[in-house]
Every structure is written in structure tokens, then in C-alpha cells.
Amino acid sequence: MNKHKHEVGAAHPLLIASILLGLLAAGFAGGFAWAYGNYVDQRDNVSKKVISAVSEARKQQIADDEKQFIEREKLPTRKLVGPNDLGSVSVDYPKTWSVYVSKDGDNGQYEAYLQPGIVPAVESTTAYATRVVINETSYESSLKSYEGLVKKGDLKSSPITIGKFTGVRLDGKFSQTRNGSAVLFKVRDKTLTVATDASSYKGDFDSIVLKTLIFNP
């Protein structure tokens, strides 16, 4: 009888050890499964991020290449020259632009419109890349016509010097369809206006057109 009690008592530690080992093994297995699942999840997320980053980099590279191509296509520039009796105004413009001269200087007026591709019909509401205008309105009267927009805050007025001659630069909203920049200079008893009607052309307007503007007042 005592022998049986001893055998049963001896079996308890082995049973407990087996249970503990089973629990420990289960714990390890669960931990391993969680860790592996977490690893797979992070691996997949990192892979997706890498693929997304590579895709964005490619798109950016294509956009940069296209932009560089467009800029290269603008060169060499061409030159627009106005009539001698109206100050011999000249400016350079990208060779990808076209020019339409609607008034060639007769009756003391000159109007030239420049636009990438084809120049649309001349209308007051059309936003052109550049317009070169010499009209019979005096310089003082031309500046006065913009005073209201300057006071309202739609236009910002600042002095500008081309060569030896100082004029006025206007930047901002000229009308509902024109939001750009214009420079005005006195040419004899007339006014020279060189303008861009859209901010999207401002880079070419400043770096090519205005940079090469020459005239004889």
C-alpha cells in the first residue's frame, strides 16, 4: 500500500514538468508565429513603400526630362523688331513661339502678339504669352489708367530700368482673364507696353523677353 503511494507521488513532478514544457513550447510556437507574421507584414509594407518610391522617382524623372526638353526646344531664340520710326523696339522670344503683328506701325500704332504654337485671334480677353504694343496714348495717361487697380491692390507698381531708361512695372491682376506682368516706357510722345497676360509665362517673360528688350525713345 505504501509502495503505491510512493509511485503516485513520484509521478506528480514529471507530470507538472511535462505540462510546463508543453505550455512553454506552445508559448514559443505562438511567439514565433506572431514574430513571423509581424516580419511578413513589415516586409510586405516595406516592399510596397519601395515600389511606390521607385514609381514616384520614375515619374519625377520623366517630368524633369520633359521639362528640360521643352526648355532646350526654346533655343536658339528669335528676334522681333518693330518699326524704326516707333523706337526700333526689339525683343527675343523662344523659337517655339509664333508671332502675329496686327498693326505694323501705320498711323503711329504697333501691336505684336506672341504665343507658343499658334497665335489665337486677337481679342481683349485672350491671355497671350507676350504682347508688344506701342500706342498714341501718352506715357502719363497710360500710367494713370492703372492707378485704380494699384490703389485697389490688384496691381503692384515698381520702377524698372532698361539700359538708360526708367519705366514702370506692374504685376498682378489686370482683368478677369489677365493675371501677369507689364512694363511701360515712354517712347517719344507714345507709350511702349510689353506684357505677359498669364503668370505661367512669367519665367520666359522675365528671362528672355525683358532681358533682351531694346528700344530708342
Side-chain angles (χ1 to χ4, degrees), residues 102-120:
S102 64
K103 296 181 181 180
D104 59 6
D106 290 346
N107 301 321
Q109 297 185 77
Y110 179 79
E111 291 184 8
Y113 298 85
L114 298 84
Q115 188 82 357
I118 299 174
V119 180

Side-chain angles (χ1 to χ4, degrees), residues 4-194:
H4 289 297
K5 289 183 179 180
H6 176 73
E7 289 177 351
V8 173
H12 286 174
L14 291 176
L15 180 60
I16 293 171
S18 297
I19 293 172
L20 290 176
L21 287 173
L23 293 174
L24 187 61
F28 276 126
F32 175 78
W34 175 84
Y36 180 75
N38 191 48
Y39 160 75
V40 171
D41 185 58
Q42 290 188 13
R43 181 197 64 188
D44 292 344
N45 286 336
V46 169
S47 179
K48 290 178 182 178
K49 289 179 180 179
V50 170
I51 292 173
S52 177
V54 171
S55 177
E56 288 300 319
R58 286 177 178 172
K59 289 180 182 179
Q60 185 61 49
Q61 186 62 52
I62 291 173
D64 291 342
D65 291 344
E66 184 176 357
K67 184 177 180 180
Q68 290 177 11
F69 173 77
I70 292 173
E71 291 302 316
R72 287 195 302 268
E73 283 295 292
K74 294 176 182 179
L75 302 174
T77 57
R78 296 174 179 172
K79 188 175 292 291
L80 170 69
V81 181
N84 292 332
D85 57 350
L86 291 180
S88 299
V89 177
S90 69
V91 295
D92 288 359
Y93 62 94
K95 72 178 179 65
T96 51
W97 291 12
S98 298
V99 177
Y100 172 65
V101 178
S102 64
K103 296 181 181 180
D104 59 6
D106 290 346
N107 301 321
Q109 297 185 77
Y110 179 79
E111 291 184 8
Y113 298 85
L114 298 84
Q115 188 82 357
I118 299 174
V119 180
V122 176
E123 297 179 358
S124 60
T125 56
T126 302
Y128 296 94
T130 294
R131 62 173 77 202
V132 179
V133 177
I134 300 174
N135 58 40
E136 295 184 296
T137 305
S138 69
Y139 178 68
E140 291 75 18
S141 296
S142 295
L143 290 180
K144 191 171 183 178
S145 67
Y146 293 107
E147 283 184 356
L149 292 174
V150 172
K151 290 179 180 179
K152 187 179 176 181
D154 287 348
L155 292 178
K156 178 183 177 182
S157 176
S158 58
I160 181 173
T161 300
I162 300 290
K164 300 177 182 179
F165 314 111
T166 299
V168 171
R169 174 166 180 150
L170 300 168
D171 295 281
K173 184 177 180 180
F174 291 83
S175 68
Q176 292 297 326
T177 58
R178 294 177 55 201
N179 194 326
S181 303
V183 297
L184 286 76
F185 289 92
K186 183 176 182 179
V187 174
R188 302 171 189 179
D189 60 340
K190 300 174 174 54
T191 300
L192 164 65
T193 301
V194 183

